[in-house]
Amino acid sequence: MNDSYRRKTPEELLKAITKLHHGRLKIYIGAVSGAGKTYHMLREGQQLRKQGIDVVTCAVSTRQRPETMEQLAELERIPSIHWQKDGIERKDLDLAAIKGRNPEVVLVDGLAHRNRPDSPLPTRLDDIRHLLECGISVIATLNVYELNGVSDLAFQLTGIEAEHTVPDEILELADEVRLIDVSPETILTRLNEGHLRNASSPHLLLRGNLGKLRELALRLMAEDVNDSLEDHRRQQGLVGPSGAAERILVAAQYHWNGSIHIRRGQQVARRLNGELLVVSFVKADKAMTKESTAFKRSIIKLTQKIGAGFEELAVPHLHRRHLSEQMARYAMDHGVTRIVLGHSKHTPLQELLHGSVVNGILRYARHIDVFFVADRTEVEGERILPAKHRTTPEPVYKRLSPAEQQQTTERLKRGTFKVYIGAAPGVGKTYTMLREGNVLLRKGIDVVIGLLETHGRKETLEQIGDLELIPKATIPYKGTQLAEMDVPTILERFPEVVLIDELAHTNVPGSHYKKRYEDVLAILDAGISVISTVNVQHLESLNDAVEQITGVRVRETIPDRMLRLADEVELIDVSPKALQERMRQGKIYPMNKVEESLGAFFQLGNLIALRELALREIADDVDERLESWERTGALRGPWRRQEVIFVAITDLAQGERLIRRGFRIAYRLKAEWHVMAVHNGKTDQAAVERRLKELQQLTEQLGGMFVRKEMKQTRDIPAFLLTHANARKSTQLIVAQEKGSWLTRLFRPSIMKKLLQGGRNMDVMVVSCLPSQEQ
């Protein structure tokens, strides 16, 4: 429930009143110097000045970049105090001059700066705090490795050491934090152009290190956004997972297999970049045995070692039915997305007589996936954490086969592909794409606009500049003329680079290809480079997560491989409140649609969750690229276990959700994956055939292998699926939570339970239904 009617406490009132007299702080954060933080800070200063706000700059470093110097030109500068240290010129803020001038906003570079020895205040952060107390707002810049909590890890991963750092709390102090995300390729290009001559460390010139710092920045921002999302959800009285991030809960017993389940949960959490929680339930009035006490000590030690949260909960009853209800409630209260526990070792009769934790969890945790850890120790004695595999490097002088030569040649001929991605419409993807197009044009590169959707936004239209626009083609359809991107003309014009907006667009009927991304692939194959834009909600595998977050099923999607195919992916990050303000100003949609949008897709909670989803998705993409660049480059560590994923579809209505989940898991684990759809053939045959074709198309689009099977007898389905899963040496079986009323489940044979009972040699993940899929 919204708490807007709750009376504020005296402390809250005092804080709110103090805030009225306090300046605002905004921080632009990036992976390294040269990411564009100063440029964006100055550009915002120009926009504020045009709105009549009094803006000045002090201690701003342009690094002689033409674009940055252009943004600084019309802004008033307050001279900084120059001094020398180790032969290098330093700049301090002139606090007295700034306070004497008393502007509304001051733009400042280098938040992590230590002042000269005789300065009244020791650091720039102290200067900024003083200005904020004087009612002067500050916009500043910061590199991610200059945060205390990140600096040690950054040094460990890259060898890059920050000269000075600031406390992590500065991000909480800030009213707004915006990430400026750029790819390593962009940074290295700027370096080659001579705009990063003052790179402080040779380690900053390594592509892998740039990737690691970029991932650290993305993950840091994702965690910060997650905190604000949880605060918002608490205020709204919402419980359960938000859909934006993974949170793994391991239910560990004080038993020999407790550490095995925790280790498996750690592997899952690490590959999914999720938070790991461990909980143990104990009976309130029962003393633990010496054996249980020993296992407890080892579990606590393990959770501390791997950085997981641990909690022991005393409950009045340890009866299986009560325990499963307690566990499900704990998971819902803590926003858990996946519960990890062991397979049940009881027979169906024992479960019927004494209850079952497994059945209870599946009944109560309706919107949470449940992951059952394989009982491999009894079957084959396999270790849960295998030792490192020795890999034999390929011979340096090995001759490429004709097929490899052809593949390499085609890759060399293909155009370069870059994608700007955002959390929602209006973040500035098209604006940035056009700006880059003009930069390339000034460098003598032949750039044209293949397709542009400005939606009437004035700022975006102004960025067209000198770029040539290829007119749309007209396509006749049912007596009318429809407009679409003119691919033949683009191919004939043969520019070096073409800018194409809205990658997920569905083409009008009569077009050569159904989807715009297929046009893009054809253009790339012709040797023309493409820069394009897309929103995170259009990624096919995130379709269910986006529906869970927003309540909207996105119909236009692109296969995830389009993001992997891109040579560069850059995130355009904007805070949700800033995005809503753009909406209110009519900069995203026409004014007559503003209120409707703010009450629907553009609700604050939706925008926060989508922002977190985008940050995590691009962080994962960076990590996958690091794994391909360096054997030990990925922050999540290598995944050495050979996995085979088997997706079992027994309810065609839930097929897409299972396929998407199977793909995301297989992609994270570098695993082979199979989909088998089983149906009884008793319903409308034509409808079943259409459905199966849709599922097969989705599976193949995402890179999986699809098999279909008609089976008349429902009781034969579990054994059939298990036989085929084992034949493929599957290590993980994915099935759907069964829907319907308890009465239906009582009289209808449960395929899922049979699979759990017969598949104890595999990890089994039971995927929850979305609320809209329940009956």
Side-chain angles (χ1 to χ4, degrees):
M1 188 178 83
N2 195 307
D3 68 346
S4 58
Y5 296 101
R6 181 178 61 83
R7 182 181 289 112
K8 287 182 169 60
T9 65
E11 292 80 8
E12 289 172 331
L13 278 172
L14 180 61
K15 185 177 179 181
I17 293 169
T18 304
K19 195 78 173 174
L20 291 174
H21 303 282
H22 203 266
R24 289 176 54 83
L25 173 62
K26 179 172 182 176
I27 298 174
Y28 281 97
I29 191 168
V32 292
S33 298
K37 304 179 296 296
T38 303
Y39 171 87
H40 283 87
M41 176 182 71
L42 293 172
R43 190 163 69 86
E44 181 171 0
Q46 291 280 14
Q47 291 169 345
L48 293 173
R49 187 179 67 84
K50 290 176 182 176
Q51 294 169 17
I53 295 172
D54 186 13
V55 182
V56 301
T57 70
C58 188
V60 170
S61 176
T62 64
R63 296 185 182 273
Q64 300 303 305
R65 289 197 67 202
E67 291 178 336
T68 309
M69 293 173 69
E70 182 183 331
Q71 294 297 322
L72 183 63
E74 297 179 15
L75 292 170
E76 179 184 344
R77 294 190 231 183
I78 293 180
S80 55
I81 299 172
H82 293 245
W83 60 288
Q84 295 275 331
K85 181 183 178 184
D86 300 328
I88 300 173
E89 186 182 63
R90 314 276 172 158
K91 298 178 183 179
D92 286 359
L93 297 180
D94 190 337
L95 283 184
I98 293 172
K99 289 194 292 182
R101 172 66 176 73
N102 194 28
E104 291 178 275
V105 182
V106 60
L107 311 182
V108 182
D109 246 340
L111 190 58
H113 169 83
R114 187 168 294 279
N115 293 335
R116 64 198 184 282
D118 60 343
S119 174
L121 296 171
T123 69
R124 183 157 295 167
L125 178 57
D126 294 315
D127 291 341
I128 288 173
R129 284 188 168 126
H130 181 70
L131 291 173
L132 294 173
E133 289 169 0
C134 294
I136 298 173
S137 294
V138 177
I139 304 177
T141 65
L142 181 70
N143 291 318
V144 69
Y145 59 88
E146 294 170 334
L147 285 163
N148 277 342
V150 178
S151 58
D152 288 342
L153 179 58
F155 180 72
Q156 177 187 337
L157 291 170
T158 67
I160 295 168
E161 188 170 14
E163 185 177 3
H164 302 296
T165 61
V166 293
D168 298 351
E169 295 76 44
I170 188 63
L171 298 184
E172 296 177 17
L173 172 68
D175 298 275
E176 184 180 345
V177 180
R178 180 181 170 189
L179 174 69
I180 303 301
D181 177 52
V182 294
S183 66
E185 289 79 9
T186 299
I187 293 291
L188 293 174
T189 298
R190 291 173 183 173
L191 176 70
N192 292 331
E193 292 172 349
H195 298 312
L196 300 180
R197 291 190 300 272
N198 299 324
S200 58
S201 168
H203 298 289
L204 277 171
L205 311 182
L206 300 176
R207 174 177 163 180
N209 286 345
L210 293 172
K212 291 169 189 175
L213 291 174
R214 183 188 181 195
E215 185 177 354
L216 282 174
L218 286 159
R219 298 211 185 284
L220 175 80
M221 282 296 296
E223 291 302 320
D224 186 60
V225 173
N226 182 259
D227 291 341
S228 63
L229 177 60
E230 292 196 349
D231 287 344
H232 177 80
R233 287 173 64 81
R234 275 194 294 270
Q235 291 170 11
Q236 299 297 315
L238 301 172
V239 296
S242 68
E246 293 278 359
R247 183 169 289 170
I248 316 301
L249 174 67
V250 179
Q253 296 175 299
Y254 295 145
H255 189 260
W256 66 270
N257 62 5
S259 60
I260 292 176
H261 295 166
I262 293 171
R263 283 291 193 184
R264 189 61 170 139
Q266 180 201 13
Q267 288 183 320
V268 172
R270 194 170 186 181
R271 293 310 295 182
L272 299 178
N273 289 300
E275 182 183 352
L276 181 63
L277 306 176
V278 178
V279 64
S280 288
F281 292 90
V282 297
K283 195 171 181 181
D285 56 353
K286 184 179 180 180
M288 285 194 298
T289 64
K290 287 184 179 180
E291 186 182 44
S292 295
T293 304
F295 281 125
K296 176 181 176 179
R297 282 198 300 269
S298 67
I299 282 175
I300 291 174
K301 186 177 178 180
L302 175 59
T303 54
Q304 290 173 341
K305 180 181 177 181
I306 65 177
F310 175 79
E311 191 169 359
E312 179 184 88
L313 294 180
V315 293
H317 305 288
L318 275 180
H319 189 278
R320 292 171 194 162
R321 290 191 177 91
H322 291 114
L323 186 58
S324 56
E325 190 174 356
Q326 293 272 356
M327 197 183 301
R329 186 179 297 121
Y330 182 91
M332 292 292 292
D333 290 344
H334 288 78
V336 166
T337 59
R338 188 171 308 190
I339 299 173
V340 176
L341 67 164
H343 277 283
S344 170
K345 294 189 177 181
H346 298 102
T347 66
L349 181 59
Q350 288 174 320
E351 291 179 353
L352 182 64
L353 293 174
H354 305 293
S356 165
V357 172
V358 169
N359 292 343
I361 287 290
L362 293 172
R363 181 164 61 251
Y364 294 118
R366 294 298 293 166
H367 308 310
I368 300 173
D369 295 342
V370 185
F371 185 93
F372 297 95
V373 178
D375 187 13
R376 292 190 178 93
T377 51
E378 289 188 3
V379 177
E380 54 194 45
E382 181 184 337
R383 292 175 61 190
I384 295 298
L385 285 175
K388 289 185 180 181
H389 293 315
R390 291 188 177 181
T391 55
T392 305
E394 289 191 7
V396 177
Y397 299 102
K398 178 179 176 292
R399 182 182 289 117
L400 295 177
S401 68
E404 289 171 329
Q405 291 177 15
Q406 178 68 21
Q407 188 178 15
T408 304
T409 302
E410 288 175 358
R411 191 164 57 244
L412 289 171
K413 289 181 178 178
R414 201 198 73 178
T416 300
F417 185 31
K418 182 171 184 176
V419 177
Y420 284 108
I421 191 168
V427 297
K429 304 179 299 298
T430 304
Y431 179 100
T432 309
M433 177 183 73
L434 292 171
R435 186 166 61 84
E436 181 174 2
N438 274 293
V439 170
L440 293 173
L441 195 64
R442 286 196 291 269
K443 292 177 182 177
I445 295 172
D446 184 15
V447 185
V448 302
I449 301 173
L451 195 288
L452 182 62
E453 299 288 358
T454 65
H455 301 286
R457 297 167 192 161
K458 183 182 176 183
E459 290 180 352
T460 305
L461 282 164
E462 290 172 352
Q463 289 302 310
I464 294 175
D466 298 324
L467 291 168
E468 176 188 344
L469 179 62
I470 303 292
K472 290 183 180 180
T474 54
I475 299 174
Y477 179 72
K478 293 185 177 180
T480 186
Q481 298 291 320
L482 303 176
E484 194 54 86
M485 182 169 68
D486 194 341
V487 176
T489 299
I490 292 171
L491 295 174
E492 184 180 350
R493 169 68 173 73
F494 200 63
E496 290 178 275
V497 182
V498 61
L499 312 182
I500 299 176
D501 220 354
E502 297 189 359
L503 188 61
H505 169 79
T506 301
N507 291 335
V508 300
S511 301
H512 184 71
Y513 290 112
K514 182 179 178 182
K515 301 287 292 186
R516 184 167 291 162
Y517 76 80
E518 295 175 297
D519 292 331
V520 166
L521 290 173
I523 292 169
L524 288 169
D525 287 341
I528 301 171
S529 295
V530 175
I531 303 176
S532 191
T533 65
V534 74
N535 289 321
V536 71
Q537 68 262 27
H538 294 296
L539 286 176
E540 177 62 53
S541 72
L542 293 177
N543 200 262
D544 300 312
V546 171
E547 183 180 9
Q548 181 179 339
I549 290 168
T550 65
V552 176
R553 172 65 72 177
V554 177
R555 299 299 174 189
E556 292 191 321
T557 61
I558 61 170
D560 292 51
R561 64 184 171 87
M562 289 301 295
L563 216 58
R564 320 305 172 208
L565 180 69
D567 300 278
E568 291 183 65
V569 180
E570 289 186 9
L571 174 70
I572 306 300
D573 180 50
V574 173
S575 73
K577 288 185 178 178
L579 197 57
Q580 285 189 325
E581 185 57 33
R582 286 187 189 179
M583 174 68 78
R584 292 189 182 94
Q585 293 171 359
K587 293 182 177 180
I588 300 177
Y589 294 146
M591 292 301 293
N592 60 351
K593 293 185 178 180
V594 168
E595 289 306 317
E596 179 187 350
S597 299
L598 288 172
F601 191 86
F602 276 76
Q603 291 179 59
L604 184 60
N606 288 352
L607 295 178
I608 297 172
L610 288 169
R611 186 188 187 194
E612 182 179 355
L613 197 66
L615 286 160
R616 293 187 184 279
E617 187 65 20
I618 302 309
D620 288 347
D621 180 72
V622 172
D623 203 87
E624 297 295 338
R625 292 171 193 266
L626 280 169
E627 283 190 339
S628 66
W629 294 339
E630 305 178 12
R631 290 181 185 273
T632 58
L635 271 64
R636 296 173 298 172
W639 181 266
R640 300 186 180 93
R641 182 176 169 193
Q642 185 61 43
E643 292 271 359
V644 178
I645 311 300
F646 188 89
V647 180
I649 300 174
T650 59
D651 179 358
L652 298 184
Q654 297 198 64
E656 285 105 335
R657 182 165 169 77
L658 285 176
I659 290 167
R660 294 187 189 107
R661 192 60 58 90
F663 161 76
R664 289 190 69 80
I665 292 170
Y667 181 73
R668 296 291 178 252
L669 303 186
K670 309 283 191 294
E672 175 186 322
W673 63 294
H674 304 264
V675 176
M676 178 168 279
V678 181
H679 63 100
N680 58 22
K682 295 177 182 178
T683 53
D684 180 1
Q685 195 63 41
V688 169
E689 189 63 30
R690 283 195 302 271
R691 188 82 183 116
L692 287 168
K693 283 184 178 178
E694 291 170 354
L695 297 179
Q696 181 171 355
Q697 183 180 7
L698 178 60
T699 302
E700 292 173 351
Q701 186 182 74
L702 293 173
M705 288 164 274
F706 185 87
V707 177
R708 51 195 285 183
K709 179 68 176 178
E710 182 178 333
M711 298 196 72
K712 300 297 184 183
Q713 298 297 326
T714 302
R715 65 174 179 269
D716 297 331
I717 291 176
F720 178 82
L721 290 170
L722 289 169
T723 298
H724 282 266
N726 285 317
R728 287 168 173 76
K729 298 182 180 179
S730 304
T731 56
Q732 188 171 153
L733 175 66
I734 299 178
V735 297
Q737 170 71 284
E738 291 176 332
K739 56 185 181 178
S741 66
W742 67 269
L743 193 61
T744 304
R745 294 194 296 269
L746 182 65
F747 289 101
R748 187 174 64 190
S750 173
I751 297 173
M752 179 191 65
K753 288 180 182 177
K754 291 289 185 184
L755 290 172
L756 284 172
Q757 290 163 6
R760 289 172 181 168
N761 62 309
M762 291 178 274
D763 294 332
V764 179
M765 190 171 81
V766 181
V767 176
S768 66
C769 301
L770 285 172
S772 59
Q773 292 176 318
E774 289 195 332
Q775 293 179 344

